[in-house]
Amino acid sequence: MTDSHGHVSVMLEEVLDLLRPAPGGRFADLTLGAGGHAEAILERTGPDGRLWGVDRDEVALETAGRRLERFAERFEALKHDFGGAPKVLADLGVGDLDGVLMDLGVSSMQLDDPERGFAIKADGPLDMRMSGRGKTTAAKLLDTADEAELERIFREYGEEPRARAIARKIVDLRKRTKLTRTSELAELVRSVTGSRGKIHPATRVFQALRIAVNRELEAIEAAVPGMMDRLRPGGRIAVISFHSLEDRIVKECFRRAEDEGRGVALTPKPLVPTAAESARNRRSRSARLRGWEKR
């Protein structure tokens, strides 16, 4: 399913198989994005099912709002980061959900807009904030964090083997000038690491900065168990992750809940896109889908 922005809903059929939306169902999509997954769920929960869509990206909320306008009476959009979604939904009195979806990937709307600062191959400001209201940009982080902290971010969040050398190069450069553009950072990393075949050498560094700027891992650690608690018995949660750090957190949350007898993992091993989907949408290739059911 592709929208007008070129966004493709990753592993849509697998998500629907796990969540089993049916008429009257109550669902939450904590990463609303362009609304593709939400649209499919709302279509299957008519005529009286409900869906609460959460996103902190203003552009995403506007785009999804237009796409889901025909479901106005059954759909409510909430501007918030997914880490705080369990409390926001609880404050609204939303409980006993039949299903929850979290798609942790960066959307095409964000990646394809150079002004957002996520793209490596298109020059733009070093921003990387999921919401324009965030206080810390990637440029500010690169300018203020000391060498040890930068190394930790690149190594821990990007699993970058040359983390120390890259951090040292950044600190040395900022004695003379500031890094403010994505092209400048990409070229700096390339000068330290050299080329790496098909994958851009700055990919891990950009990932690490995005995670640090948006505090993504902390949000996952809060949202997954929090939303598991919002499910009714028999309710399910499905989480799509795109790198090992995210997937590890989700796996551990599901394992801990299973050990406590609160539910069962539906995917002993994560589901991955079909070869056809990977060929059709290359951004889906690293996707991993896990599901859990509450007892």
Side-chain angles (χ1 to χ4, degrees):
M1 181 181 291
T2 305
D3 62 32
S4 60
H5 288 261
H7 180 77
V8 181
S9 301
V10 172
M11 300 185 73
L12 178 60
E13 293 306 319
E14 291 88 344
V15 165
L16 295 174
D17 286 344
L18 275 178
L19 292 182
R20 305 179 303 183
R26 293 160 54 85
F27 288 80
D29 184 344
L30 300 200
T31 45
L32 183 61
H37 289 107
E39 181 178 45
I41 292 170
L42 282 163
E43 287 175 343
R44 287 160 177 76
T45 56
D48 55 348
R50 294 287 307 277
L51 184 139
W52 290 264
V54 180
D55 210 297
R56 59 178 159 183
D57 187 319
E58 295 88 350
V59 175
L61 288 170
E62 291 175 8
T63 302
R66 291 192 296 270
R67 181 176 195 157
L68 304 175
E69 188 174 7
R70 60 193 168 105
F71 303 107
E73 295 182 357
R74 302 197 287 117
F75 165 69
E76 183 174 355
L78 303 170
K79 187 181 184 306
H80 213 284
D81 67 282
F82 61 77
K87 183 178 186 307
V88 170
L89 291 169
D91 290 345
L92 290 173
V94 179
D96 297 325
L97 290 167
D98 294 285
V100 173
L101 172 64
M102 295 175 63
D103 176 358
L104 303 175
V106 182
S107 75
S108 296
M109 292 183 296
Q110 294 164 335
L111 287 172
D112 294 339
D113 182 356
E115 293 304 307
R116 303 297 298 273
F118 295 103
I120 299 175
K121 297 180 181 180
D123 183 50
L126 273 170
D127 193 318
M128 298 194 189
R129 292 173 297 173
M130 294 289 191
S131 168
R133 296 182 181 180
K135 294 180 180 180
T136 301
T137 64
K140 183 177 180 179
L141 185 59
L142 290 170
D143 188 48
T144 58
D146 62 26
E147 183 176 325
E149 176 64 4
L150 288 173
E151 179 187 350
R152 183 194 69 80
I153 289 170
F154 300 151
R155 192 179 306 282
E156 197 171 305
Y157 297 158
E159 299 177 308
E160 169 54 62
R162 300 297 305 279
R164 179 173 298 179
I166 295 168
R168 185 177 300 124
K169 182 92 170 184
I170 290 170
V171 171
D172 181 61
L173 176 67
R174 74 189 190 194
K175 293 175 184 176
R176 305 183 299 278
T177 187
K178 292 183 178 182
L179 281 168
T180 61
R181 309 292 295 181
T182 55
S183 58
E184 296 168 350
L185 177 61
E187 183 53 38
L188 181 147
V189 175
R190 188 193 299 275
S191 73
V192 174
T193 66
S195 296
R196 290 178 175 172
K198 295 181 180 180
I199 299 176
H200 195 285
T203 298
R204 294 175 183 270
V205 168
F206 271 64
Q207 172 186 297
L209 283 173
R210 190 200 80 220
I211 290 172
V213 165
N214 296 289
R215 302 178 64 86
E216 292 178 28
L217 300 187
E218 295 96 323
I220 298 170
E221 290 171 342
V224 174
M227 293 309 299
M228 291 161 76
D229 290 340
R230 309 299 306 163
L231 292 170
R232 66 165 179 79
R236 294 181 167 192
I237 181 170
V239 185
I240 305 172
S241 59
F242 288 83
H243 56 76
S244 60
L245 299 176
E246 295 173 340
D247 184 58
R248 200 175 302 142
I249 294 171
V250 176
K251 178 182 178 181
E252 177 58 25
C253 288
F254 288 177
R255 185 202 61 78
R256 186 164 57 246
E258 191 166 20
D259 289 346
E260 295 169 354
R262 296 193 290 121
V264 59
L266 301 170
T267 49
K269 292 184 178 181
L271 304 179
V272 299
T274 63
E277 179 172 1
S278 295
R280 186 172 64 251
N281 176 20
R282 55 192 306 273
R283 286 176 178 167
S284 74
R285 291 180 299 178
S286 60
R288 299 292 181 268
L289 171 63
R290 291 184 184 271
W292 180 87
E293 181 177 291
K294 186 173 183 177
R295 286 179 178 168

